[in-house]
Amino acid sequence: MEQGIVSPRIFNDPELYSYELDRIFARCWCFVAHESEIPMPGDYVLRNIGQDQFIVVRDEDGQIRVLFNKCTHRGSPVCRVEKGNSSHFRCPYHSWVFKNNGDWSGAPYRKKAYKKLDAAAWGLAAAPHVDSVHGLIFASLDPDAPTLDDYLGGMRWYLDALLGLNDQGMRAIGEPHRWRVPANWKSGAENFMADAYHVPSLHRSAEEVGMFPNIEAGGAGPQAGSRHVYFDEGHGMIINDGFLPPPWHRSGFPPEVADTFQLDRLAPDQQLFVDNHSATTFLIFPNLGLVRVPASPHPDAPPTVFTYLRQLQPSGPDTIVNWNWTLGWNSAPDGFNEDAYVAALSMHGPAGILEQDDTVVWGGPPTAGKSVFARKSGMRFNFQLGLDGMSDYAEDTSWAFPGRATTTALGEAPQRAFYRRWLREVSTADHAENREDGQ
Ligand code: FES
Ligand SMILES: [Fe+2]
């Protein structure tokens, strides 16, 4: 990474992928749902961590649990519906029953069949750590995981400034959209983290048809008004200094939305950040992205800033299942959230104009990754943008907020930090793997 060189192999290698599942997805804090999707006791949704499926459920006491959707009898999924409300889950195979907190609750012929069953030992397995921040529910499968706050590090400060702007908070609008893309999850992750460089070329057509503000002047490109902020932990963002002129708020929200913000909830330095900057995109390692940009929901309508979460769920080394949740402000007037939802769909839904651009080009790395000629010719990918002497991109030591900031976004320092973190994780075995090896 010091030379900015990456092998195509990491984008399509089954063995490396198995390490990613073991050492990244089963170890990091992964996003699973928004709290607004499961507001009532018994509400649940099915979600994935890596390729394992979990029931994210609010139990009868209101506590959020992340339960492995595998019956402890023979492993059948106990919940077969993507979303619903239930006090119990009954396995379809032999009808073992579990409470929505995961406890074993009963079985047919229990008194005759399981006279000595230790019920406490046969509940559904659960993620050992579940926590949430500004409505985003994360889980970690690693018993030794740090707290979510420690995991997020300086990103927590920015989450306050992006999502914690008033007491009413945000909610997921409708169902998350999801669709399969023939790509490697890391291509999406590095793009969401920091790839401002692709916007003026790959997304030029969106500007040409008038759906996207002037890319360079508006700050969506890599130069004027854009910069990177990133962390050695592999989280990072593209920060902009404001897309839209007054009366829009710096984040791009109109006065009727910005007036509902209670900036006194924030620390003084966070208020200063909100008054002068916003994030275009972010990535929380390993695979939760966010986009907040303006787009016009209808022809001739003024631009509406939308916020959506993107999870790049791996489904094999060459397949991503994209999940999108458009977030709306609970405090926003009628119509604003609907416009934001339409704008988000038009840009980054399954048929969104930007989404189609991105997902076509991300198909390249996995095909290079398994190409015979790429291997025989020693092909390497270039991550050298912004290395010494390549551009004027430099660390901005005057940045008064958390993280490492750069002078522009015409560089790839965050992507290099992402792949350094990736390498640390896939190279490090954990206790569970050692236990398994010893059996
Ligand atoms: S597999 Fe679930 S009850 Fe047998
Ligand atoms: Fe893009």
Side-chain angles (χ1 to χ4, degrees):
M1 276 334 308
E2 302 319 309
Q3 298 167 34
I5 300 285
V6 170
S7 166
R9 187 182 151 199
I10 72 165
F11 295 98
N12 200 351
D13 182 283
E15 191 179 0
L16 272 175
Y17 178 66
S18 74
Y19 283 125
E20 291 178 340
L21 293 180
D22 262 6
R23 298 177 178 181
I24 294 180
F25 292 96
R27 201 152 63 189
C28 292
W29 281 89
C30 295
F31 176 76
V32 289
H34 195 275
E35 282 182 2
S36 60
E37 295 182 273
I38 50 169
M40 303 300 294
D43 285 349
Y44 66 83
V45 290
L46 292 188
R47 293 294 147 82
N48 292 274
I49 299 177
Q51 286 193 234
D52 286 335
Q53 189 177 65
F54 292 82
I55 311 167
V56 181
V57 56
R58 193 178 290 272
D59 72 16
E60 297 306 293
D61 297 326
Q63 188 177 337
I64 296 171
R65 312 270 186 170
V66 176
L67 307 172
F68 191 34
N69 190 19
K70 291 278 182 273
C71 180
T72 51
H73 185 227
R74 289 292 193 284
S76 297
V78 298
C79 178
R80 308 185 68 90
V81 182
E82 290 191 342
K83 176 179 182 166
N85 181 288
S86 187
S87 61
H88 293 75
F89 298 103
R90 183 174 64 80
C91 178
Y93 196 171
H94 312 88
S95 289
W96 277 26
V97 176
F98 303 87
K99 295 182 188 171
N100 62 9
N101 65 5
D103 288 351
W104 193 88
S105 175
Y109 318 109
R110 179 182 181 177
K111 291 205 172 94
K112 287 183 184 171
Y114 291 111
K115 290 178 186 172
K116 292 187 177 175
L117 184 88
D118 177 8
W122 294 100
L124 296 174
H129 300 288
V130 180
D131 201 355
S132 51
V133 52
H134 298 303
L136 315 186
I137 307 167
F138 291 83
S140 170
L141 304 183
D142 179 5
D144 303 323
T147 65
L148 178 60
D149 264 5
D150 284 349
Y151 180 86
L152 293 171
M155 274 302 288
R156 172 60 204 261
W157 188 98
Y158 290 99
L159 288 180
D160 294 346
L162 295 170
L163 306 176
L165 294 176
N166 60 31
D167 293 339
Q168 298 97 314
M170 303 192 83
R171 68 170 185 275
I173 304 175
E175 303 295 319
H177 297 105
R178 55 265 195 207
W179 66 101
R180 301 175 84 80
V181 176
N184 179 276
W185 68 273
K186 295 187 291 300
S187 294
E190 60 160 273
N191 178 287
F192 273 74
M193 184 182 199
D195 200 323
Y197 182 53
H198 80 291
V199 178
S201 49
L202 184 66
H203 299 312
R204 177 65 68 189
S205 59
E207 182 184 23
E208 286 170 357
V209 299
M211 289 185 71
F212 214 30
N214 183 300
I215 287 174
E216 286 297 350
Q223 301 189 81
S226 278
R227 67 174 70 238
H228 288 138
V229 172
Y230 67 101
F231 298 90
D232 292 340
E233 292 83 359
H235 317 307
M237 288 165 283
I238 301 173
I239 299 289
N240 68 75
D241 297 340
F243 278 118
L244 301 172
W248 279 277
H249 184 266
R250 279 284 185 182
S251 305
F253 294 106
E256 62 270 27
V257 176
D259 287 349
T260 71
F261 295 159
Q262 300 157 311
L263 297 189
D264 55 354
R265 288 167 48 97
L266 303 175
D269 57 345
Q270 289 172 313
Q271 294 179 28
L272 196 62
F273 172 83
V274 170
D275 283 341
N276 292 285
H277 311 282
S278 187
T280 308
T281 63
F282 75 45
L283 182 88
I284 294 174
F285 190 89
N287 67 335
L288 179 67
L290 170 140
V291 169
R292 177 172 282 176
V293 293
S296 297
H298 310 287
D300 306 321
T304 301
V305 163
F306 59 84
T307 304
Y308 78 86
L309 297 172
R310 159 67 57 82
Q311 190 172 44
L312 301 138
Q313 182 207 322
S315 183
D318 59 358
T319 305
I320 306 173
V321 178
N322 273 341
W323 289 68
N324 260 27
W325 294 257
T326 304
L327 300 183
W329 292 102
N330 289 318
S331 62
D334 285 351
F336 177 81
N337 289 329
E338 189 178 329
D339 282 352
Y341 182 82
V342 172
L345 260 184
S346 70
M347 299 299 258
H348 277 289
I353 185 167
L354 301 187
E355 194 61 35
Q356 295 180 61
D357 298 339
D358 287 323
T359 50
V360 167
V361 295
W362 297 346
T367 47
K370 66 178 180 189
S371 153
V372 172
F373 184 65
R375 178 165 42 83
K376 290 195 172 182
S377 63
M379 185 182 190
R380 295 290 181 264
F381 289 160
N382 184 303
F383 283 75
Q384 296 180 324
L385 185 60
L387 281 179
D388 274 355
M390 288 286 176
S391 71
D392 295 335
Y393 179 79
E395 187 152 346
D396 181 355
T397 51
S398 68
W399 186 248
F401 311 118
R404 292 170 187 268
T406 58
T407 49
T408 69
L410 192 58
E412 291 174 334
Q415 291 96 318
R416 291 189 288 271
F418 172 89
Y419 284 105
R420 275 193 212 101
R421 168 86 190 260
W422 174 85
L423 187 59
R424 285 199 300 277
E425 296 290 348
V426 293
S427 307
T428 308
D430 61 29
H431 302 309
E433 288 173 69
N434 291 337
R435 276 198 299 274
E436 198 171 68
D437 291 346
Q439 281 174 1

